[in-house]
Amino acid sequence: MTEAAELPPAPDVAREVFGDRYTDAVRYAELLAEAGVQRGLIGPREVPRLWERHILNCAVLSEVVPDGVTVCDVGSGAGLPGIPLALVREDLKITLLEPLLRRTNFLTEVVELLGLDHVTVVRGRAEEVMGQLPPVHVVTARAVAPLDRLATWGIPLLRPYGEMLALKGDAAEEELKSAATALTKLGAVGTSILQVGEGIVDPLSTVVRVEVGESPGGVRFAAKRAKAARTGRARRRR
């Protein structure tokens, strides 16, 4: 068994980023370094760089999330980027969507411990919950899948004219080019690559933004969404 490395102190900039939630951010880092490693949610080698590479890297996503919107964090895993985003932005209503039980158990514990009343944990796959969860303004994701595959899961969860924000690495531009055809079929009307976190993280966090039109997911998913909604209404009437 690999021995977990020691969690370094929070960098000074974390106080600026998290404000009144700084203590909660520190507790979240401790949970990731302890229970997160023990349960296999975070690799032990990631502990020394939890702040810069993971927590702050995700928190700066808040720079491009509109005010007061609903958010679904697809494949939330250990809560990245959903938990850091929630700590920074209490104006958001965030759903952490994750299919694996051990991960949703961890997420539920974190949400309760940190008192994140604006966060809900849902166990399930994106393709399974469409029509069961209300469509959201923004879908977020990090290290879930290549962009073309991620889009098939995330875009159908959006409201008309919503957007998907995916944290990506150096290959963001290449992924975006490769996914262009798939994104168009899924109803995307605009794409861009954004750099966020100036003065907070180095290198900057790279975000791929995909904006959709009036039919998120395209025609096929519109029909599937309508069918799921009808089924849901029928069940509620029983």
Side-chain angles (χ1 to χ4, degrees), residues 13-22 24-25 28 51 54-68 79 81-92 94 114 116 118-119 200:
V13 73
R15 290 186 180 274
E16 175 187 340
V17 172
F18 292 103
D20 292 342
R21 284 285 192 172
Y22 170 75
D24 291 325
Y28 176 54
W51 281 104
H54 298 285
I55 298 174
L56 289 170
N57 175 274
C58 291
V60 296
L61 182 63
S62 65
E63 294 178 16
V64 291
V65 177
D67 294 339
I83 296 294
L85 183 61
L87 289 170
V88 175
R89 296 284 301 278
E90 296 192 49
D91 60 303
L92 306 175
I94 300 176
L114 302 185
L116 298 174
H118 58 305
V119 177
I200 298 171

Side-chain angles (χ1 to χ4, degrees), residues 162-179:
E163 60 185 350
M164 183 175 72
L165 300 172
L167 280 160
K168 289 289 183 179
D170 295 337
E173 187 172 350
E174 183 179 334
E175 278 198 51
L176 188 53
K177 288 179 180 177
S178 299

